[in-house]
């Protein structure tokens, strides 16, 4: 997490310097720089389908529910790192 008053579309260069108990120092620099992005990604083409299937196994009826969700996401400023989907009984 980066805390600070950073303006939108700023480049932040991240360098990590480590030292072990033997005094050996190593530096790592993240490339490319992290872009500060105050805007949400664009999510579209969301489709949801729910299928309820009754399966007769050994004379008992069982229900199976299949939920399929697809979407498209993009972010021209900083790119997309990952997308997640949650399934629940109320909206977030």
């Amino acid at each position: 997490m980066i805390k600070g008053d950073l303006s939108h579309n700023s480049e932040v260069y991240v360098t990590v310097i480590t030292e072990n108990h033997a005094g050996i120092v190593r530096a790592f620099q993240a490339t490319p720089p992290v872009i500060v992005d105050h805007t949400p990604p664009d999510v579209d083409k969301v489709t949801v389908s729910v299928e309820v299937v009754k399966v007769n196994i050994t004379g008992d009826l069982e229900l199976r529910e299949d939920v399929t969700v697809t979407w498209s996401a993009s972010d021209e400023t900083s790119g997309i790192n990952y997308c997640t989907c949650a399934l629940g009984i109320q909206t977030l």
Side-chain angles (χ1 to χ4, degrees), residues 18-25:
T18 61
E19 181 178 356
N20 65 11
H21 288 291
I24 300 172
V25 177

Side-chain angles (χ1 to χ4, degrees), residues 2-3 6 9 11 15 17 22 25 27-28 32 34 39 41 45-46 51 53-54 56-57 64-65 69-70 77 82 90:
I2 299 171
K3 289 189 174 186
L6 301 171
N9 220 17
E11 293 182 347
T15 301
I17 300 172
V25 177
F28 303 90
V34 176
T39 60
K45 300 180 185 173
V46 178
E51 180 182 18
V53 180
K54 293 182 179 181
N56 190 340
I57 300 174
R64 184 183 81 221
E65 298 177 3
V69 180
T70 60
T77 302
Y82 65 91
Q90 61 186 12

Side-chain angles (χ1 to χ4, degrees), residues 9-59:
N9 220 17
S10 296
E11 293 182 347
V12 177
Y13 293 87
V14 179
T15 301
V16 176
I17 300 172
T18 61
E19 181 178 356
N20 65 11
H21 288 291
I24 300 172
V25 177
R26 181 116 189 224
F28 303 90
Q29 186 169 31
T31 55
V34 176
I35 305 298
V36 176
D37 186 359
H38 294 290
T39 60
D42 295 320
V43 178
D44 60 5
K45 300 180 185 173
V46 178
T47 61
V48 179
S49 65
V50 178
E51 180 182 18
V52 178
V53 180
K54 293 182 179 181
V55 181
N56 190 340
I57 300 174
T58 67

